[in-house]
Amino acid sequence: MRTLDSTTSLRIAVQKGGRLTDKTLSLLEGIGLQFDDYKRSLLVKCRNFDVELLLIRDDDIPEYVQDGVCDLGFVGANTVAEDEADVTILRGLDYGVCRLAIAVPKNGSIKKVEDFAGKRIATSYPVLTRKFFNSKGIEVDIVTLSGSVEIAPRLEIADAITDLVSTGGTLKANGLVEIDKIFDSETQLIQTNKPLSEGKKHLIGKILQRIEGYKKAAESRYIMMNAPQSAVVEIKKIIPSLKSPTVMPLADNGMVAIHTVIPLSTFWDVMEKLKEAGATGIVMLPIESMIV
Ligand code: ATP
Ligand code: ZN
């Protein structure tokens, strides 16, 4: 491992004890970063890289990254957008997927966005909510709450709400129906815009490349099969391979073993076609990581 030319480790902000925590930590472990017990401490050193994790509330992450207290952060796109933080979004990550939805009491008088003129809307996302209604030219009254927004209409604090939703179960349980969507969100990896040492830049490049490989691997499968030599041309046409497949002769005359990597999404389709083309003993294996 290359040593950093700065005296500080690359510091990464991760949500402490929330919805994004476990998936972020397993992603970091999946790309080979090893940490001591992160449940007990706020600042956790990585054992095999010059990296440390700062575990904090997700709301604080964009600002910590903006101010350069942390070099990187894993946080919801909703939080980054709401904070209007001056940070660079390095990439999206497909977990923590949710949407900022507009919801109203079922059977109430508000049926569509246009009915909102002059209404009170409770939200923890005043910036995104304001922007949305401004863009529609509708004037609304925004009541900012830090949590439990879904009960605001029943308490008569507001006529409607905007809140984060994934399945919609919480809305339904509170007698609310979703009528529109303001923002689609997923977790993002963000980077500070403050100057970084060459060592830190190098490390960030490495982390990004490993995340790429880890994600690719999760979406791919290694497949192995046997087939008659005569079927190889046909089989090569079926496999949407990253590179050309490995074809090895078997002891059996005229038979070969074929190994390759395919996107998981095509698996069943490819499998059936391979069988039709004469492949037998098709085996699929998960891949831990890959660099392409
Ligand atoms: P903290 O104590 O860190 O402030 P929190 O209560 O604000 O935690 P969580 O509920 O843990 O935050 O949500 C963290 C992030 O998870 C959200 O900002 C959002 O990006 C994402 N998320 C995914 N699905 C949902 C959902 N159904 N409801 C709320 N957030 C969700
Ligand atoms: Zn929060």
Side-chain angles (χ1 to χ4, degrees), residues 23-69:
K23 287 201 170 128
T24 301
L25 292 170
S26 45
L27 170 63
L28 290 171
E29 281 168 359
I31 62 164
L33 275 62
Q34 296 167 357
F35 300 98
D36 292 325
D37 189 3
Y38 39 74
K39 298 237 157 69
R40 277 188 222 144
S41 175
L42 291 183
L43 201 57
V44 186
K45 280 246 163 255
C46 176
R47 267 189 258 132
N48 54 344
F49 277 93
D50 198 0
V51 167
E52 62 186 14
L53 303 184
L54 182 66
L55 290 134
I56 48 179
R57 286 197 61 193
D58 68 341
D59 312 58
D60 296 333
I61 294 175
E63 209 172 306
Y64 272 55
V65 174
Q66 172 181 285
D67 296 347
V69 177

Side-chain angles (χ1 to χ4, degrees), residues 15-20 56-59 75-79 96-98 125 163-167 185-187:
Q15 187 191 17
K16 183 176 174 60
R19 285 174 200 258
L20 308 180
I56 48 179
R57 286 197 61 193
D58 68 341
D59 312 58
V75 64
N78 53 296
T79 312
V97 174
C98 59
Y125 292 85
D163 204 6
L164 292 180
V165 173
S166 43
T167 59
S185 188
E186 62 177 359
T187 305

Side-chain angles (χ1 to χ4, degrees), residues 185-223:
S185 188
E186 62 177 359
T187 305
Q188 288 178 335
L189 174 57
I190 57 171
Q191 180 185 316
T192 189
N193 288 335
K194 299 276 184 218
L196 291 168
S197 68
E198 284 309 310
K200 283 187 178 181
K201 282 189 209 156
H202 176 78
L203 206 42
I204 291 171
K206 200 160 175 168
I207 287 172
L208 273 177
Q209 191 184 39
R210 287 191 181 194
I211 291 177
E212 194 63 39
Y214 184 79
K215 290 283 167 204
K216 270 246 155 57
E219 291 157 11
S220 306
R221 290 295 179 270
Y222 192 84
I223 59 167

